[in-house]
Amino acid sequence: QVFQLLTDLKQQRKESGKSKQSSGQQNLNTIMYETLKYISKTPCRYQSPETVRDFLVAMKGHKLTK
């Protein structure tokens, strides 16, 4: 979910084309970039909401605790 959200935000910013940014906005951009860079190297990059839902349904019968 985080990967999808950040990817969508990145695309929206690219489409809006705003060039002037405040210091806080630049910090947020850095955090978004670093987070996307990290997540892109993990298996969660390839997960979709459907995959996670299927996994949870499959595990329901095992009565796992949180």
Side-chain angles (χ1 to χ4, degrees):
Q1 289 175 337
V2 172
F3 181 76
Q4 185 63 44
L5 175 68
L6 291 177
T7 304
D8 291 346
L9 285 172
K10 182 179 175 182
Q11 185 63 32
Q12 287 174 359
R13 288 180 181 198
K14 197 179 282 188
E15 291 172 358
S16 69
K18 290 184 179 180
S19 59
K20 189 174 182 178
Q21 297 177 350
S22 67
S23 173
Q25 189 65 42
Q26 289 174 352
N27 291 340
L28 179 59
N29 289 342
T30 301
I31 292 168
M32 286 176 55
Y33 171 78
E34 292 294 331
T35 304
L36 275 171
K37 185 173 147 184
Y38 173 78
I39 291 176
S40 294
K41 296 177 185 177
T42 65
C44 70
R45 175 184 183 156
Y46 305 105
Q47 292 175 344
S48 67
E50 295 81 22
T51 307
V52 173
R53 192 175 312 111
D54 292 343
F55 172 77
L56 292 174
V57 168
M59 292 293 108
K60 200 175 249 186
H62 295 284
K63 298 181 182 177
L64 300 175
T65 61
K66 291 182 181 182

